[in-house]
Amino acid sequence: MKEKFIENGIEYVRSGDYYIPNLTVPDEEIYDIGKYGNLRKRFLKEPRHYIL
């Protein structure tokens, strides 16, 4: 059996009995998320205290 192969442009590596795609995360890039993205980001970072 092959240890590595490429299918549909994705490289697969054998790990035990399974073939796992060899994916990497691209380098961090700075994205402009706009006005509403920034508002959402600020909302998610603010602590919210709920009374149950």
Side-chain angles (χ1 to χ4, degrees):
M1 298 180 99
K2 297 179 186 176
E3 293 296 319
K4 289 184 180 181
F5 69 94
I6 297 176
E7 184 174 309
N8 296 329
I10 300 173
E11 180 182 10
Y12 291 88
V13 180
R14 185 171 178 203
S15 177
D17 292 336
Y18 301 100
Y19 285 97
I20 300 174
N22 189 14
L23 302 175
T24 58
V25 178
D27 294 335
E28 282 192 40
E29 295 181 18
I30 298 173
Y31 295 100
D32 181 26
I33 57 175
K35 175 185 175 181
Y36 294 104
N38 284 321
L39 287 171
R40 177 71 176 165
K41 181 180 171 183
R42 187 175 354 142
F43 171 78
L44 291 173
K45 286 189 173 192
E46 288 177 0
R48 290 178 295 282
H49 302 285
Y50 295 107
I51 300 173
L52 297 177

